[in-house]
């Protein structure tokens, strides 16, 4: 009897049926991918801060003053003070110079000349057996900082996903793993990059789980490796830059009235058509530059120059434009009394200008991502809809434009990038407010469903059956 008890006790500590040396290897390798990606993103973040300090703020003297909150944005468009300000004129040409420098860096040192960040990573997953060259890591980092930190209207999330995916791909090749393992670790690195830079570990894990398909299909094999890598990379990043969320939305802003589902439904419709505008303008701009019979370097410079022209009148659209998100969130913390229809129109204009400027920067061949601009566009569009409803509906509805901005961000990302779960979780993590999950689910579900077939990423396939990975 004691012998049987002893054997049973040992079985308690032994591996279960589903655990094996192979899955254990993925566990250890996911930790390794997360750790290396975390360190890479830390270095990338320092490069971003250096670039913004000495390019936009140093050379250009750019200060992202959200004049839209005070209603002065339109009054200063053609004012003598604005036209005579030399810093504005410098910021007209600086995005062109930065985009050109980034293009030349990629052309000289890397074979992925048209790397679009996340889109390139998705293409590598489906069509290149998860292979991404290691030269992407330093080259894409430098090129993206040169482009965005000089005022290019783009984001850093596209580059950082490609950096993380490259880390996973390189590590798998160094360890002589199978193609299947390479794809899994590539996805884990992609998730780790998002988790660290956006300081959103759960959203990062989900990102590598659902970004490969434009439908509601997911790559379930990647979920656990993505979760592990995201947790490790976020922890390393937070050790250097702190544990606070990327933005701050007052926690007292919550969903506590079922009557607000109707205005949120209207927001979902607005987001649906806003996403279609963003994608349509980007595709048309991309096609226009592709058909121009001029050297590629001049296309990039022209796109940057046109972005600078928009930035002359709307300085907030230059760079990542996080000032627009902060402005929309501040509507719920004291500035809400200053809301007016004119402020709502201003946010709506910022949506159109930001979408167009991003199309010019990235569509011309500039190095930058489309994810962060989608967040900004969603925030601006949501804030404008929230302000309009606040003016139209009774005060008893207690419409808060900041809440609409947050939910608009979620719906815009879910619909344009086809990642509803990631979008719902991400806006909660990056804002520090988890009280708006229900309206976020409502808007994300509607906009995702209505925009079936629309996606910013060409390399996404519809479902698992359509992917060469699962043929």
């Amino acid at each position: 009897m004691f012998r049987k008890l002893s054997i049973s006790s040992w079985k308690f500590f032994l591996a279960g049926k589903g655990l094996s040396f192979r899955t254990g290897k993925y566990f250890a390798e996911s930790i390794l991918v997360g750790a290396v990606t975390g360190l890479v993103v830390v270095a990338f973040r320092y490069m971003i801060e250096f670039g913004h300090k000495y390019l936009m703020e140093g050379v250009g003297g750019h200060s992202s003053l959200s004049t839209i909150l005070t209603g002065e944005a339109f009054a200063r468009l053609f004012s003598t003070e604005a036209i005579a300000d030399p810093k504005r004129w410098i910021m007209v040409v600086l995005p062109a110079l930065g985009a050109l420098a980034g293009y030349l860096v990629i052309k000289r040192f890397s074979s992925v000349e048209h790397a679009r960040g996340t889109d390139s990573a998705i293409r590598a997953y489906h069509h290149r057996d998860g292979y991404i060259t290691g030269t992407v890591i330093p080259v894409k980092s430098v090129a993206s900082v040169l482009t965005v930190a000089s005022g290019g209207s783009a984001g850093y999330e596209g580059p950082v996903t490609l950096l993380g995916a490259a880390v996973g791909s390189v590590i798998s090749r160094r360890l002589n793993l199978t193609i299947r393992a390479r794809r899994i670790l590539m996805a884990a690195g992609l998730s780790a990059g998002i988790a660290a830079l956006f300081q959103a570990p759960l959203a990062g894990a989900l990102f590598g789980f659902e970004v490969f398909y434009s439908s509601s299909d997911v790559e379930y094999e990647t979920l656990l490796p993505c979760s592990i890598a995201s947790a490790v990379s976020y922890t390393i990043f937070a050790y250097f830059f702190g544990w606070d969320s990327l933005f701050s939305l007052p926690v007292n802003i919550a969903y506590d009235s079922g009557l607000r589902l109707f205005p949120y439904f209207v927001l979902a419709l607005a987001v649906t058509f806003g996403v279609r505008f963003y994608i349509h303008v980007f595709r048309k701009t991309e096609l226009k530059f592709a058909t121009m019979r001029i050297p590629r370097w001049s296309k990039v410079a022209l796109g940057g120059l046109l972005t600078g022209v928009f930035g002359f009148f709307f300085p907030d659209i230059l760079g990542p434009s996080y000032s627009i998100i902060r402005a929309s969130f501040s509507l719920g913390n004291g500035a809400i009394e200053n809301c007016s229809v004119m402020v709502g129109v201003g946010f709506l204009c910022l949506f159109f200008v930001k979408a167009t400027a991003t199309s010019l920067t990235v569509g011309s061949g500039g190095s930058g991502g489309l994810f962060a601009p989608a967040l900004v566009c969603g925030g601006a569009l949501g804030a404008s809809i929230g302000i309009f409803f606040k003016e139209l509906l009774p005060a008893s509805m207690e419409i808060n434009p900041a809440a609409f901005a947050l939910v608009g961000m979620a719906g815009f990302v879910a619909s344009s990038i086809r990642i509803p779960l990631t979008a719902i979780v991400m806006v909660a993590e990056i804002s520090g407010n988890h009280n708006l999950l229900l309206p976020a689910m409502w808007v994300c579900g509607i906009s995702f469903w209505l925009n079936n077939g629309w996606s910013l990423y060409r390399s996404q396939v519809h479902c698992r059956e359509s992917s060469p990975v699962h043929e």
Side-chain angles (χ1 to χ4, degrees), residues 39-357:
L39 294 174
V40 168
V41 177
V42 166
F44 186 49
R45 173 65 181 271
Y46 279 122
M47 291 173 62
I48 292 171
E49 293 182 351
F50 180 86
H52 278 266
K53 179 180 179 180
Y54 290 100
L55 291 175
M56 286 186 69
E57 300 300 334
V59 176
H62 177 271
S63 296
S64 295
L65 300 175
S66 297
T67 54
I68 197 68
L69 273 178
T70 61
E72 299 177 358
F74 295 107
R76 297 180 60 186
L77 280 180
F78 302 102
S79 66
T80 304
E81 178 186 355
I83 295 176
D85 189 353
K87 296 178 181 178
R88 286 183 177 249
W89 290 101
I90 293 175
M91 289 308 303
V92 170
V93 297
L94 189 59
L97 297 176
L100 178 60
Y103 168 82
L104 295 176
V105 167
I106 293 179
K107 183 176 176 61
R108 171 64 180 84
F109 296 103
S110 178
S111 61
V112 285
E113 186 173 334
H114 297 289
R116 289 280 171 79
T118 307
D119 208 31
S120 296
I122 296 172
R123 186 183 306 115
Y125 185 89
H126 288 301
H127 302 289
R128 297 176 182 171
D129 297 331
Y131 183 92
I132 302 177
T133 177
T135 57
V136 163
I137 299 173
V139 173
K140 190 67 175 177
S141 299
V142 174
S144 299
V145 170
L146 287 172
T147 301
V148 184
S150 62
S153 179
Y156 290 113
E157 95 301 326
V160 86
T161 56
L162 188 60
L163 299 183
V167 169
S169 181
V170 169
I171 288 177
S172 64
R173 295 199 304 273
R174 293 290 185 184
L175 298 177
N176 295 320
L177 301 179
T178 63
I179 292 176
R180 174 174 176 268
R182 186 193 305 164
R183 286 196 180 99
I184 291 174
L185 293 184
M186 193 209 82
L190 182 146
S191 290
I194 285 287
L197 193 64
F198 276 103
Q199 296 168 258
L202 180 55
L206 294 174
F207 184 76
F209 174 62
E210 61 179 350
V211 74
F212 299 108
Y213 303 104
S214 60
S215 68
S216 57
D217 218 340
V218 294
E219 200 63 84
Y220 59 85
E221 291 179 319
T222 67
L223 181 58
L224 291 180
C226 288
S227 300
I228 295 167
S230 295
V232 174
S233 66
Y234 169 73
T235 301
I236 292 175
F237 185 86
Y239 177 80
F240 288 90
F241 295 101
W243 302 88
D244 294 333
S245 57
L246 191 61
F247 305 105
S248 178
L249 183 69
V251 294
N252 63 325
I253 298 178
Y255 177 81
D256 51 13
S257 173
L259 294 176
R260 294 184 200 147
L261 274 187
F262 173 72
Y264 278 122
F265 176 76
V266 177
L267 174 61
L269 296 181
V271 165
T272 298
F273 290 103
V275 166
R276 294 187 182 187
F277 171 81
Y278 183 31
I279 296 175
H280 179 75
V281 170
F282 176 72
R283 293 283 178 246
K284 289 295 184 181
T285 305
E286 191 178 39
L287 179 62
K288 183 64 176 179
F289 277 104
T291 55
M292 286 183 179
R293 296 184 178 181
I294 57 176
R296 291 178 179 173
W297 63 266
S298 58
K299 297 179 184 179
V300 176
L302 178 60
L305 183 62
L306 293 175
T307 300
V309 172
F310 279 106
F312 180 87
F313 301 107
F314 297 92
D316 287 298
I317 62 96
L318 296 175
S321 300
Y322 286 162
S323 61
I324 296 177
I325 295 179
R326 294 189 180 95
S328 66
F329 284 0
S330 69
L331 295 173
N333 188 20
I336 192 170
E337 290 79 7
N338 300 324
C339 288
S340 65
V341 174
M342 198 60 182
V343 176
V345 172
F347 272 110
L348 189 60
C349 288
L350 283 176
F351 159 71
F352 287 112
V353 175
K354 181 62 180 179
T356 304

